[in-house]
Amino acid sequence: MFVKIELKQILRSRWMQLVAFLFTFVFVAIIVIQQMALPDMEGFTRQTASFLNVLLFLLPLFILTIGSMSIAGDIESGWFSLLKTYPMRSMQFIIGKYVATVLAFLLVVLVALGVVLTVGSLLVGVRLPIVLVILTLLCIFIFVSLGIVLGAFAKTRLFALALSLVVWSFLLLLISYALMALGAVVPGHILQKLTIITIHINPVEWLRFGYFIFSNQASVLGPAFYGVTKFYLSPYGHAVYGIVTILWIALPLILASKLLKEDHQR
């Protein structure tokens, strides 16, 4: 019942409706423009690269802001305190918010991809890689979890919005710029190790890396990353990738529950 109520509230949000429209418009524009400008090619095409870049640039932004403001709004308005008068634990509240937010974004992405496939069926050669769809699901699962922990920490909608933008800028922009700056002053082998570490501690790069691995496009990363790509191409590497991804989802939810529990006990 709680999940159903939360899902209705999120879907009625103007923010969510705007996200659905924006994703549909951008993805359709990508396939139409590039299909008209470029011939059909196999492998990692510009069309696939555009989908991947837009997905990993816009989707985390909207998930972090909407997810964090949703839970921070409940805390700020007193809705969470009211729910605590019922036999509901903090983790139950967190899981309910997580499921509702994930379902809402899945519906948005489903609508966008449905329109993309419909338009693509009219254009010869347009395909949507299954790995890209799986990557989209993982992106939703991970960043909804991160958005919830940011909202639990912020406790007000304005702070949650600002914190989400800071975290998004750090993950999408600042880390990459920092690596490029370090590349001018540190040796190549040190920069290589720093890049590998960044892949594991930055969920955006982790998802991008996963796409190259599971779509058999690891050669795009170049010979400098042969060792790490060879490991993740093995069955054991696949298992490690799955474990790390699950940790990216579970640990923020556990932390969010702990933050809410401590705040309620004060």
Side-chain angles (χ1 to χ4, degrees):
M1 181 62 70
F2 175 68
V3 173
K4 185 177 180 181
I5 294 174
E6 290 295 327
L7 181 59
K8 287 183 178 180
Q9 291 180 345
I10 295 175
L11 291 178
R12 289 173 181 173
S13 170
R14 295 292 179 89
W15 283 64
M16 187 61 68
Q17 296 170 10
L18 180 61
V19 169
F21 172 78
L22 180 62
F23 261 81
T24 303
F25 175 79
V26 170
F27 281 176
V28 170
I30 288 174
I31 66 169
V32 172
I33 293 175
Q34 296 203 10
Q35 186 65 23
M36 293 173 60
L38 297 170
D40 183 35
M41 295 181 294
E42 298 292 335
F44 189 63
T45 64
R46 292 187 182 182
Q47 186 182 93
T48 306
S50 297
F51 272 118
L52 183 63
N53 290 332
V54 171
L55 181 71
L56 294 179
F57 192 82
L58 290 181
L59 193 56
L61 172 63
F62 289 116
I63 293 177
L64 288 177
T65 53
I66 294 177
S68 63
M69 290 177 65
S70 174
I71 191 169
D74 287 349
I75 299 173
E76 186 179 20
S77 65
W79 174 244
F80 173 67
S81 298
L82 177 62
L83 290 175
K84 289 296 291 183
T85 61
Y86 295 90
M88 174 181 289
R89 293 179 297 177
S90 298
M91 181 55 75
Q92 290 177 312
F93 173 76
I94 292 297
I95 295 299
K97 296 288 290 188
Y98 178 80
V99 173
T101 308
V102 165
L103 290 177
F105 275 100
L106 286 178
L107 182 59
V108 168
V109 172
L110 181 64
V111 171
L113 295 183
V115 175
V116 167
L117 292 176
T118 302
V119 175
S121 64
L122 305 176
L123 302 173
V124 179
V126 174
R127 296 182 300 273
L128 192 62
I130 186 62
V131 178
L132 192 62
V133 176
I134 296 175
L135 177 73
T136 304
L137 299 180
L138 294 180
C139 184
I140 293 174
F141 295 154
I142 290 176
F143 279 95
V144 168
S145 181
L146 293 175
I148 286 178
V149 73
L150 292 180
F153 177 79
K155 296 182 178 61
T156 63
R157 281 171 288 189
L158 185 59
F159 186 24
L161 176 61
L163 189 60
S164 298
L165 293 176
V166 169
V167 171
W168 176 81
S169 300
F170 180 75
L171 295 178
L172 270 295
L173 303 173
L174 296 182
I175 292 181
S176 298
Y177 292 152
L179 284 176
M180 287 188 288
L182 288 174
V185 296
V186 300
H189 67 280
I190 296 180
L191 182 63
Q192 177 188 5
K193 291 180 174 61
L194 291 175
T195 303
I196 293 175
I197 293 173
T198 301
I199 289 174
H200 289 78
I201 66 174
N202 185 345
V204 175
E205 298 303 327
W206 181 247
L207 292 172
R208 194 191 311 273
F209 177 73
Y211 175 82
F212 293 134
I213 293 298
F214 294 104
S215 63
N216 296 320
Q217 301 292 333
S219 58
V220 175
L221 300 173
F225 297 95
Y226 174 77
V228 67
T229 55
K230 182 181 179 181
F231 168 76
Y232 279 105
L233 284 171
S234 67
Y236 182 71
H238 288 2
V240 171
Y241 189 92
I243 292 173
V244 174
T245 303
I246 292 173
L247 290 176
W248 269 114
I249 299 171
L251 291 181
L253 295 178
I254 295 173
L255 178 59
S257 176
K258 183 178 180 181
L259 289 172
L260 292 182
K261 188 180 298 182
E262 291 178 351
D263 182 66
H264 182 71
Q265 292 174 351
R266 292 174 183 174

